[in-house]
Amino acid sequence: MQRRLSTWLLLAPAGLWFAVMLVLPLCFVLVFSFGQREAAGGYVPAFTFEQYANLPARWTAFRNTLTLAPLGTILSLLIAYPLAYFLAMRADPKWRTMLLILVIVPFWTSILIRSYAWIFILGGQGLPALVDWLGFGSIRLINTPFAVLTGIVYGYLPLMVLPVYVSLERLDKRLLEASADLGAPPLQSFLQITLPLSLPGVATGCMLVFILLMGEFLIPAMLGGGKVFFIGNALVDLFLQSRNWAFGAAVAVTLVAIMLVTVTLYMSLMRRLGGAREDVSLM
Amino acid sequence: MQSPFNEIDPGARDSNSLIAEFREATKRYGDVLAADALSFGIRRGEFLSFLGPSGCGKTTALRMLAGFEVPTSGIVLLDGQRVNEVPAYRRPVNMVFQHYALFPHLSVAENIAYGLLQRRPRPDRADVARKVDRALEMVRLPGFGPRRIWEMSGGQQQRVALARAIVNEPKLLLLDEPLAALDRKLRREMQIELQTLQRQLGITFVLVTHDQEEALSMSDRICIMRGGKIVQSGSPNALYDEPISRYVADFVGKSNFIEGVFSHGPDGTGRILTPSGQLFEGRVSQPLAPNAKASLSIRPEQIELTHVSRGGAEQVTVINRIFLGEHTEYLVRHAALGDLLVLVARQAEASEGGFAPGDTAFIGWAKSTALILVQD
Ligand SMILES: Nc1ncnc2c1ncn2[C@@H]1O[C@H](COP(=O)(O)OP(=O)(O)OP(=O)(O)O)[C@@H](O)[C@H]1O
Ligand SMILES: [Mg+2]
């Protein structure tokens, strides 16, 4: 009895927070999404599927998000894994902490300022000017999907590096000696031992980056220049500019639904890959 | 000190009979000499143990054989071939790790099959499955193949580790304190199992241990190590009866030591003059300089404990008595020599009568059983 009370007390603050800040707004959004738009903007209560039927109007935002978010996640992983591997397995332990801090250093300044930096690098006076000067012709980088992807990978890399690093760092190095002892060359040891045992970290990193990317709006707004926009940008537009709350709510609900489905699928896939492991958590 | 390699068995030099060999193999970690010019041969089919205190370089020696460490200088040979730079995965050697190092994401059967599946061309699946089953039977875990590693007890995991190594039929099996984590009873069982397996398979076993009982009971031959060197090697009997130094006598079995200054006696015997002025005679097996500090070593079972003094006996007081079944162990105190351990066989005690703490008694031993050893 005592025990149960203390459990409740421990959970109360977080539970309350979730109820008020997450569940309640979600309910509002859900209700709004079945409503209608007032002529001057805003919301008129109704029960109609009109807004959902209208979703294809924002098809480009969905397409951009649903291609660039997974692509960005995969690119981040491809760059983060070797880096995390180097940090965990090869780097001199003396330097390891220093190098890890270097990975996190970009977080010390706002993503806004860092995106401005990228605007200059990718803009007309930056890389394209250099390429032109070298005689490779003129290219356009800013306001392209490439620019958005660059910004995404740059901004989210630390989030991917850290969980992968932790899982590699925790890996018992004696297992690799055992693998070599049993006749596996280094590449085979990596594929059969290191990679499967670091999957939990990979799963966590991908999940973190993917979920955040699905809601991203700052990077596409700044590096996509209104040409490459995400669902996040559509939401900003619908709620704040055109004040079409009902339609905005429908877009938001659809986004949440897509995320729920992908995350669930992904988790069950990871669980299958990792076997029914008890000792390793997936998230 | 002369090389133990020379005197124990001249046959060991015939490189055909050797599965592995160290020649002046040295391993340095910064200032630490983990292996100090090891020169030593391992014979085909033998059960060899490295015995020594913590940090004496046992694991280092093993790791040089397995291919995890490259000697700083000197040579390691496997089957007559220099293998210094040959990586572990190309050596026909397998190791049972101290903490098993089983792969947590693989089942018991997958762990055991791991070594076989690394071979190129890939072996036949059915063949692998059959070998895995046989290995599981050999370590008495039939039917455990589908289990997960964490579902196995410590002793079972130990046996999986063993099966994972022997299934590859290596030329040389290295075991780094494989039984250290087991309780006494299980350990005893596993010791017997290991010995049986070694005879069945005819594989050369090299065992690292710091448990002298384990080394004595299992090995054909033992290397006593100290500070990165092999101090002495030989059969358990030879090491017990003919230790070349006090260090070895102390490490292999129990012994009583009487310290003093050495002088030569008649017919290759020697004498020890203790600080209290007593003179003891004993055998000398190693060359000793007159006036060198030396110890007289007498094994506890070679001391006779009596109620009445016989010629040349020393008077002692009984301090403690421990009944061990077939033997009784007495701790006795001598006014000048200090505490001594005496092991009395059950029959002897029956004829002489027991002793109680506080009793006055006499100890004596045959001069030929006392050995004068260098103090090192
Ligand atoms: N990787 C290493 N780096 C630095 N020093 C080491 C390393 N490995 C071993 N040593 C040192 O080398 C010496 C021999 O070590 P080794 O592991 O061979 O001892 P051991 O006889 O196996 O001891 P134990 O019974 O405790 O396992 C020790 O002094 C140890 O500190
Ligand atoms: Mg060791």
Side-chain angles (χ1 to χ4, degrees), chain A residues 85 90 180 184-191 194, chain B residues 89:
Chain A
Y85 185 88
R90 294 289 149 81
L187 180 65
Q188 285 301 319
S189 289
F190 173 78
L191 292 175
T194 313
Chain B
Y89 62 89

Side-chain angles (χ1 to χ4, degrees), chain B residues 98-357:
Chain B
Q98 184 164 356
H99 298 285
Y100 316 150
L102 296 171
F103 306 126
H105 60 304
L106 301 178
S107 70
V108 168
E110 286 167 336
N111 262 279
I112 297 173
Y114 193 89
L116 297 172
L117 292 176
Q118 305 311 318
R119 296 190 179 162
R120 298 293 177 272
R122 263 180 199 273
D124 179 44
R125 283 260 155 202
D127 201 36
V128 170
R130 207 172 48 244
K131 282 186 177 169
V132 167
D133 282 345
R134 211 174 51 218
L136 276 171
E137 260 159 45
M138 230 177 258
V139 296
R140 298 210 228 127
L141 289 173
F144 279 74
R147 287 247 203 148
R148 294 268 138 197
I149 295 303
W150 72 81
E151 295 170 339
M152 309 289 279
S153 74
Q156 289 170 334
Q157 289 188 13
Q158 205 284 318
R159 283 183 276 174
V160 175
L162 190 62
R164 186 176 70 172
I166 60 174
V167 77
N168 304 296
E169 293 164 32
K171 290 184 174 168
L172 187 58
L173 185 69
L174 309 172
L175 304 112
D176 192 357
E177 305 198 30
L179 310 179
L182 306 183
D183 67 59
R184 215 184 151 76
K185 184 167 172 291
L186 195 57
R187 192 156 154 167
R188 190 62 217 136
E189 280 174 29
M190 285 302 304
Q191 286 174 357
I192 293 166
E193 262 176 66
L194 272 182
Q195 265 183 308
T196 318
L197 268 176
Q198 197 256 345
R199 284 194 202 109
Q200 269 175 18
L201 299 167
I203 297 175
T204 312
F205 275 36
V206 178
L207 175 82
V208 156
T209 179
H210 54 232
D211 178 348
Q212 54 117 349
E213 257 177 69
E214 189 167 292
L216 285 176
S217 65
M218 296 172 77
S219 328
D220 299 323
R221 209 152 57 104
I222 301 174
C223 297
I224 307 290
M225 292 190 68
R226 179 187 201 179
K229 285 193 165 88
I230 293 174
V231 183
Q232 186 178 5
S233 68
S235 70
N237 270 330
L239 289 178
Y240 191 85
D241 293 336
E242 303 292 337
I244 61 161
S245 67
R246 175 176 170 161
Y247 177 80
V248 176
D250 202 14
F251 218 88
V252 179
K254 289 176 180 170
S255 201
N256 297 295
F257 297 104
I258 298 170
E259 289 164 21
V261 176
F262 174 76
S263 60
H264 285 288
D267 310 327
T269 63
R271 297 195 186 95
I272 286 282
L273 181 65
T274 68
S276 59
Q278 281 174 291
L279 205 56
F280 292 101
E281 279 180 42
R283 271 191 310 128
V284 182
S285 62
Q286 297 292 314
L288 267 167
N291 291 326
K293 278 194 171 180
S295 294
L296 188 76
S297 161
I298 315 141
R299 298 286 185 192
E301 69 275 12
Q302 266 145 358
I303 298 180
E304 207 182 358
L305 193 62
T306 51
H307 283 287
V308 287
S309 171
R310 297 180 191 156
E314 299 284 329
Q315 185 181 326
V316 294
T317 312
V318 175
I319 302 287
N320 196 16
R321 173 181 191 269
I322 301 169
F323 179 67
L324 296 172
E326 294 161 53
H327 297 276
T328 305
E329 193 182 272
Y330 287 100
L331 186 68
V332 298
R333 185 159 293 164
H334 185 276
L337 303 177
D339 290 354
L340 297 156
L341 217 52
V342 182
L343 206 59
V344 181
R346 197 179 174 92
Q347 284 160 321
E349 203 181 38
S351 61
E352 183 64 30
F355 300 82

Side-chain angles (χ1 to χ4, degrees), chain B residues 53-60 62-63 98 176-177 208-210:
Chain B
S54 185
C56 70
K58 308 180 295 288
T59 299
T60 304
L62 218 56
R63 290 173 62 84
Q98 184 164 356
D176 192 357
E177 305 198 30
V208 156
T209 179
H210 54 232

Side-chain angles (χ1 to χ4, degrees), chain A residues 28-38 42-52 244-250:
Chain A
F28 274 119
V29 170
L30 196 65
V31 170
F32 273 34
S33 73
F34 293 105
Q36 273 175 329
R37 181 182 190 227
E38 210 177 351
Y43 168 72
V44 184
F47 187 77
T48 160
F49 288 94
E50 217 174 275
Q51 311 302 340
Y52 287 96
N244 189 346
W245 291 8
F247 187 42

